[in-house]
């Protein structure tokens, strides 16, 4: 009996090894990832569906830095850019080329919701897998310092009575700025299609046009006009969030809602995964982004960049994406862009 014991011990050890290997193999899901404990199992790719240097790009590169510096992943994280059509070219690539792969994620936001409508994109946002909303920024409505408009009500009264008398300026057609103009028009009882909106490729162009007198009012992210408000060159009439914020005047600017118009809009950014990933893979991606949001590095980045924490993940994110898609599609269709 004593001579057989080593053989029995060896057999038992081999059995344990085989069971452990089988269990490890079961961690892999059909989408090519692993359970939350093992995700990501290879290089994590973050797509920016826009040119380098913008808000989406900064968001992705901040995510890359925090994921790496805070040791939230054991694999490398790469950021790459796919430009064009308010992000819809990148959206199409994610759906067509990366379906089923949880190691390809894409940064996106409200601008893409509008871009899908304005560009009549054949690929829709309901085709991707929502993961989370991340950050948000309020919009601000400004007029030149010498403008006769002292309140939002005065501006919207004229915009309703004589749309041709008010020229609005902001970012690209179908973007956040034009969405806000459309929502304001509807709330004031005006025709969104009648609003005179001039689209500019960058904030510098709209600033120059406003100061030159080419525009009656301009709309942009609240940080965009802070310097001109602080310098007394433009006047902030309203911000678009739930609470007033200081946009350079030294005191909080009142919200649109506080001034009697039922409008609230945040220029939010978020993260999505490709279509075709299964339940365990989606849970693993969501768990990683949850850890990112709770990390010291991300909290520091929010403060450093002046970003508002606008976090929702899982089912809450999916519901928000769907609601925003319906709302923005409606307002842009009413504005003649649908």
């Amino acid at each position: 009996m004593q001579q057989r014991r080593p053989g029995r011990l060896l057999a038992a050890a081999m059995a344990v090894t085989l069971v452990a290997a089988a269990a490890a193999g079961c961690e892999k899901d059909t989408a090519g990832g692993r359970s939350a404990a093992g995700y990501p199992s290879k290089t994590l790719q973050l797509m920016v569906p826009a040119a380098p240097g913008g808000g989406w790009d900064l968001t992705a590169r901040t995510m890359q830095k925090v994921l790496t510096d805070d040791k939230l992943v054991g694999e490398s994280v790469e950021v790459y850019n796919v430009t064009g059509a308010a992000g819809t070219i990148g959206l199409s690539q994610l759906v067509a080329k990366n379906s089923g792969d949880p190691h390809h994620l894409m940064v996106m936001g409200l601008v893409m919701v509008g871009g899908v409508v304005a560009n009549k994109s054949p690929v829709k946002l309901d085709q991707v897998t929502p993961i989370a909303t991340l950050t948000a920024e309020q919009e601000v409505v400004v007029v030149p310092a010498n403008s006769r408009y002292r309140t939002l009500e005065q501006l919207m009264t004229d915009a309703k009575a004589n749309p041709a008398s008010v020229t609005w300026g902001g970012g690209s057609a179908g973007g956040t700025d034009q969405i806000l103009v459309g929502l304001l028009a509807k709330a004031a009882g005006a025709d969104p299609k009648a609003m005179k909106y001039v689209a500019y490729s960058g904030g510098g162009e709209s600033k120059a046009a406003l100061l030159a007198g080419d525009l009656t009012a301009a709309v942009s992210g609240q940080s965009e006009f802070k310097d001109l408000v602080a310098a007394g060159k433009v006047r902030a009439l309203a911000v678009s969030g739930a609470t007033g914020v200081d946009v350079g005047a030294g005191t909080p600017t009142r919200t649109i809602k506080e001034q009697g118009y039922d409008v609230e809009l945040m220029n939010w950014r978020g993260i999505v995964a490709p279509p075709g990933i299964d339940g365990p893979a989606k849970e693993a991606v969501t768990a990683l982004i949850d850890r990112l949001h709770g990390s010291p590095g991300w909290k520091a980045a929010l403060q450093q960049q002046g970003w508002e924490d606008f976090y929702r993940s899982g089912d809450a994110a999916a519901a928000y994406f769907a609601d925003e898609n319906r709302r923005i599609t409606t307002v842009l269709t009413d504005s003649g862009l649908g």
Side-chain angles (χ1 to χ4, degrees):
M1 294 293 293
Q2 290 181 350
Q3 291 179 347
R4 291 189 219 170
R5 190 171 298 163
R8 288 179 180 178
L9 291 174
L10 180 59
M14 290 179 64
V16 170
T17 301
L18 288 172
V19 170
C26 287
E27 285 187 351
K28 293 186 179 180
D29 59 55
T30 55
R34 294 191 178 183
S35 66
Y39 174 85
S41 59
K42 60 182 181 180
T43 298
L44 184 63
Q45 302 280 349
L46 296 179
M47 181 205 295
V48 177
W56 288 345
D57 189 68
L58 180 59
T59 300
R61 295 184 191 281
T62 301
M63 291 176 67
Q64 177 190 40
K65 178 173 172 42
V66 174
L67 286 168
T68 303
D69 290 356
D70 284 19
K71 296 180 171 52
L72 300 177
V73 293
E75 304 289 337
S76 61
V77 180
E78 295 182 356
V79 175
Y80 67 101
N81 299 78
V82 178
T83 62
T88 56
I89 292 178
L91 173 65
S92 297
Q93 179 172 311
L94 188 76
V95 170
K97 294 185 177 180
N98 305 126
S99 180
D101 183 359
H103 290 89
H104 274 83
L105 306 179
M106 181 179 74
V107 173
M108 49 74 70
L110 180 65
V111 172
M112 183 178 286
V113 180
V116 168
V117 179
N119 291 285
K120 296 179 171 54
S121 172
V123 179
K124 311 298 182 185
L125 276 170
D126 59 9
Q127 293 177 250
V128 300
T129 304
I131 298 299
T133 57
L134 296 170
T135 63
E137 183 182 21
Q138 296 200 39
E139 293 277 287
V140 63
V141 180
V142 298
V143 295
N146 61 359
S147 170
R148 63 189 181 88
Y149 297 112
R150 312 290 303 184
T151 68
L152 181 65
E153 182 181 9
Q154 292 171 343
L155 177 65
M156 295 314 300
T157 297
D158 278 3
K160 178 181 177 182
N162 184 12
S165 69
V166 175
T167 303
W168 301 83
S172 60
T176 310
D177 304 338
Q178 188 169 17
I179 289 168
L180 183 60
V181 173
L183 289 171
L184 271 171
K186 288 185 71 174
D191 180 5
K193 291 182 181 178
M195 297 299 104
K196 288 176 58 182
Y197 182 85
V198 181
Y200 294 91
S201 60
E205 291 184 7
S206 60
K207 283 183 180 181
L210 185 70
L211 294 176
D214 297 334
L215 300 175
T216 311
V219 180
S220 188
Q222 60 93 9
S223 61
E224 191 74 40
F225 280 96
K226 247 183 179 177
D227 56 341
L228 294 181
V229 173
K233 295 183 178 180
V234 304
R235 182 184 307 123
L237 299 185
V239 290
S240 65
T243 58
V245 293
D246 181 7
V247 294
T251 57
T253 295
R254 291 200 299 159
T255 70
I256 294 170
K257 273 194 172 181
E258 288 173 335
Q259 299 181 60
Y261 301 95
D262 189 17
V263 174
E264 188 174 315
L265 184 73
M266 299 295 289
N267 185 13
W268 55 269
R269 298 185 182 110
I271 190 89
V272 297
I277 65 173
D278 64 14
K282 180 181 177 181
E283 290 175 7
V285 176
T286 304
L288 175 62
I289 303 303
D290 283 342
R291 293 197 300 276
L292 169 78
H293 174 254
S295 68
W298 186 254
K299 288 178 172 31
L302 290 175
Q303 185 172 6
Q304 180 182 357
Q305 299 295 342
W307 290 338
E308 184 170 333
D309 191 357
F310 201 65
Y311 196 68
R312 296 162 174 79
S313 66
D315 292 342
Y320 185 77
F321 277 47
D323 288 345
E324 284 290 87
N325 198 29
R326 284 191 293 269
R327 181 169 75 129
I328 302 312
T329 298
T330 298
V331 71
L332 288 179
T333 300
D334 290 345
S335 299
L337 291 175

